[in-house]
């Protein structure tokens, strides 16, 4: 890779890291190509990006994007996106399925380096769509009970008549 190519990669990564709300760094040593494709497909479906990047290039891009402070050693795969909840969910779900070969190392969220516990806690939260569904169920429940009550009253009146 020439200097110009490295500079282009760094500038592209820098722009993507600036636009992202979370960057999760994971270890993927021993993970096969088919499993990596599963990760990439699930990430794509969630609007999250996944890429294996050289540590030096990623370190420079993260530093330029004001997201420095993460220790980058060994084999790393980077997961990032605009929605930190989706990023954490994709990484955590894949780690649960492939825990022998895939480990979450660290993350940069909310302007600071996040701990593993923070990543796991964020991954357990319901998504925006799940929260909207819960809210609609709460709003819909009184109407359902009212209709069931009216139907029961109607049946009772029909039996007495």
């Amino acid at each position: 890779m020439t200097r110009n190519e490295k500079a282009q990669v760094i500038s592209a990564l820098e722009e993507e890291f600036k636009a992202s709300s979370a960057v999760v760094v994971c270890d993927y040593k021993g993970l096969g190509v088919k499993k990596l494709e599963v990760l990439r497909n699930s990430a794509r479906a969630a609007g999250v990006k996944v890429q294996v990047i050289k540590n030096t290039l990623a370190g420079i891009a993260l530093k330029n994007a004001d997201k420095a402070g993460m220790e980058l050693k060994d084999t790393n795969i980077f997961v990032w996106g605009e929605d930190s909840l989706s990023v954490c969910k994709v990484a955590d779900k894949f780690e649960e399925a492939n825990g022998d070969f895939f480990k979450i190392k660290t993350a940069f969220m909310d302007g600071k380096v996040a701990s593993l516990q923070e990543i796991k806690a964020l991954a357990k939260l319901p998504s925006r769509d799940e929260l909207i569904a819960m809210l609609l169920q709460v709003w819909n429940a009184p109407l359902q009970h009212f209709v069931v009550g009216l139907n029961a009253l109607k049946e009772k009146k029909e039996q007495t008549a």
Side-chain angles (χ1 to χ4, degrees):
M1 196 179 248
T2 65
R3 278 185 186 247
N4 290 337
E5 291 172 335
K6 288 179 183 179
Q8 289 173 349
V9 168
I10 289 171
S11 66
L13 287 171
E14 179 184 339
E15 292 302 316
E16 289 190 21
F17 288 157
K18 279 183 182 178
S20 68
S21 66
V23 178
V24 177
V25 181
C26 306
D27 182 15
Y28 72 102
K29 190 174 235 168
L31 199 62
V33 174
K34 289 186 179 188
K35 293 285 186 179
L36 280 175
E37 284 303 313
V38 170
L39 172 62
R40 287 188 173 111
N41 291 338
S42 65
R44 193 176 304 118
V48 175
K49 295 185 181 184
V50 175
Q51 189 174 351
V52 177
I53 309 166
K54 287 184 121 181
N55 290 337
T56 53
L57 299 178
I60 294 168
L62 286 166
K63 183 180 174 188
N64 292 346
D66 296 326
K67 296 187 180 201
M70 292 187 288
E71 187 175 325
L72 304 177
K73 289 185 180 180
D74 299 325
T75 56
N76 292 321
I77 190 164
F78 293 80
V79 183
W80 72 91
E82 293 178 9
D83 181 20
S84 56
L85 185 65
S86 297
V87 172
C88 291
K89 281 184 176 288
V90 166
D92 186 58
K93 183 178 177 185
F94 195 75
E95 183 183 36
E96 287 176 4
N98 303 287
D100 296 339
F101 304 111
F102 188 85
K103 299 280 186 215
I104 297 173
K105 289 182 174 181
T106 184
F108 193 92
M109 295 185 299
D110 300 326
K112 64 180 176 69
V113 176
S115 69
L116 191 58
Q117 291 82 12
E118 291 173 322
I119 299 166
K120 298 282 186 184
L122 194 58
K124 302 297 181 215
L125 290 176
S127 69
R128 181 179 186 271
D129 293 336
E130 292 169 339
L131 287 172
I132 290 172
M134 288 179 197
L135 182 63
L136 290 175
Q137 284 179 333
V138 168
W139 285 350
N140 197 23
L143 289 174
Q144 284 179 332
H145 293 305
F146 180 70
V147 170
V148 168
L150 283 178
N151 193 27
L153 182 64
K154 177 187 138 199
E155 289 175 2
K156 184 177 179 185
K157 293 278 186 181
E158 287 175 352
Q159 286 176 358
T160 58

